[in-house]
Amino acid sequence: MRDLFQILLGLVFLTGLQCQKLPKGVSKCHYGDGQCLKDTANALIQNYRKGIPEIYLKTFDVVNVRDWVLVNDSQVGVAWYYFELFNQTNYGFENTTITEIKGFDKDPTLSKIEISGTIPKLIYKGQYNAKGRMLWMVNIESSGNSVSDFLNFQFHLTLKVRTEYRNNKRYMKIYELVPSITLDRWIQWLDDFFPENFDLTLAVNNLFNRNWVEFWNELEPSILRLFTTVFMDMFDELFYNIPYDDLFLQDDE
């Protein structure tokens, strides 16, 4: 699920890069001009899904995701569960629409930075390892492929930042990033959840999909922590290399 935002946020901050030639049709924005930033982000999403290496814009039609332990209960008692995801990839970011951008003032520390957007369908593919004790004392130890569809995936990011100076340039650094996510439907399939019993594997997948809201509510904190880590990793590299003032038009431009 990682890459849902790593490119989208890069789109916003790379629009004013002065040291590189921007693509035709991509506008450079003044500080705090949310409408311009939104339009520029959407233009980049629509026209440059394979990214633009010259301005650090990575591909976002296929996004690799870091390995992640989604559930890690203490392995004691009558019921516990461990679930790990790896070799993960997300598809569908190229259909993202940025709906609102706030902040990015001349002094970015004076207000929160907020970015909102929506994706009609985000597709996740990867592999999983699972083990535990549940379902009337049934022991679980399985691995296989995992596929998820997230329908009408909507996100909102809130950032708090500080500035630092290097080489007489001002750089922005995030010290807090809080994502929130809503969606209309989560459809998931786990291969070989019970390797020796396809009927039981089918029953577990059907149970999940009938009760996906409850599962989402239970897993959301871990999922959001993964998103937060992804965003912070991406921003740290981006902002370390690109001065904040180089991202925007100056007052007299």
Side-chain angles (χ1 to χ4, degrees):
M1 298 178 184
R2 160 188 179 186
D3 207 311
L4 169 60
F5 305 114
Q6 68 175 350
I7 301 304
L8 301 182
L9 296 177
L11 300 177
V12 174
F13 301 120
L14 294 171
T15 56
L17 190 60
Q18 292 179 337
C19 298
Q20 303 289 346
K21 183 178 180 181
L22 292 174
K24 183 179 180 180
V26 176
S27 300
K28 193 176 182 180
C29 302
H30 286 101
Y31 297 105
D33 188 343
Q35 183 64 48
C36 176
L37 289 169
K38 184 185 75 170
D39 292 344
T40 294
N42 285 320
L44 285 167
I45 293 169
Q46 182 178 1
N47 297 311
Y48 297 95
R49 63 177 61 187
K50 294 298 183 182
I52 309 171
E54 292 80 8
I55 61 170
Y56 302 93
L57 182 63
K58 301 176 183 178
T59 178
F60 55 93
D61 58 346
V62 178
V63 177
N64 294 325
V65 182
R66 68 166 57 190
D67 298 346
W68 191 253
V69 176
L70 194 63
V71 182
N72 189 16
D73 295 336
S74 298
Q75 298 183 17
V76 295
V78 297
W80 58 270
Y81 195 48
Y82 174 88
F83 192 80
E84 176 189 16
L85 297 166
F86 60 99
N87 293 336
Q88 304 178 82
T89 307
N90 276 331
Y91 305 88
F93 304 147
E94 69 275 16
N95 299 317
T96 299
T97 298
I98 300 296
T99 56
E100 187 175 40
I101 296 176
K102 295 181 179 180
F104 298 103
D105 298 322
K106 189 168 187 177
D107 183 349
T109 67
L110 295 180
S111 62
K112 292 187 298 184
I113 294 172
E114 299 180 72
I115 304 171
S116 300
T118 182
I119 302 174
K121 183 177 182 179
L122 178 66
I123 300 172
Y124 158 86
K125 295 182 179 180
Q127 295 175 282
Y128 75 92
N129 288 322
K131 58 182 179 180
R133 184 181 298 122
M134 58 193 317
L135 296 174
W136 309 284
M137 300 297 292
V138 173
N139 290 323
I140 297 169
E141 186 160 359
S142 59
S143 62
N145 295 321
S146 174
V147 178
S148 286
D149 291 349
F150 301 95
L151 307 183
N152 192 22
F153 190 103
Q154 300 180 55
F155 61 89
H156 179 84
L157 306 178
T158 302
L159 293 75
K160 294 182 180 180
V161 303
R162 61 181 174 85
T163 56
E164 57 184 26
Y165 288 84
R166 298 195 311 273
N167 302 319
N168 296 318
K169 291 282 189 176
R170 212 172 39 138
Y171 294 81
M172 190 171 79
K173 186 174 180 62
I174 300 169
Y175 67 86
E176 181 178 279
L177 186 152
V178 179
S180 63
I181 294 168
T182 60
L183 60 158
D184 285 352
R185 189 78 167 88
W186 180 11
I187 304 169
Q188 180 172 259
W189 176 263
L190 301 173
D191 282 345
D192 300 323
F193 195 77
F194 289 97
E196 306 300 324
N197 191 328
F198 178 78
D199 289 339
L200 194 52
T201 293
L202 180 61
V204 168
N205 280 282
N206 287 339
L207 176 67
F208 176 90
N209 289 312
R210 285 196 305 269
N211 300 278
W212 73 270
V213 173
E214 289 79 4
F215 282 96
W216 175 266
N217 290 338
E218 181 70 21
L219 297 173
E220 185 178 21
S222 183
I223 293 172
L224 293 181
R225 285 194 296 272
L226 174 58
F227 285 145
T228 299
T229 300
V230 170
F231 304 148
M232 292 298 291
D233 289 346
M234 184 279 297
F235 279 133
D236 285 344
E237 180 180 355
L238 176 66
F239 292 141
Y240 184 83
N241 289 289
I242 304 175
Y244 182 72
D245 294 313
D246 287 353
L247 302 175
F248 300 93
L249 292 168
Q250 301 307 302
D251 293 340
D252 57 353
E253 293 182 282

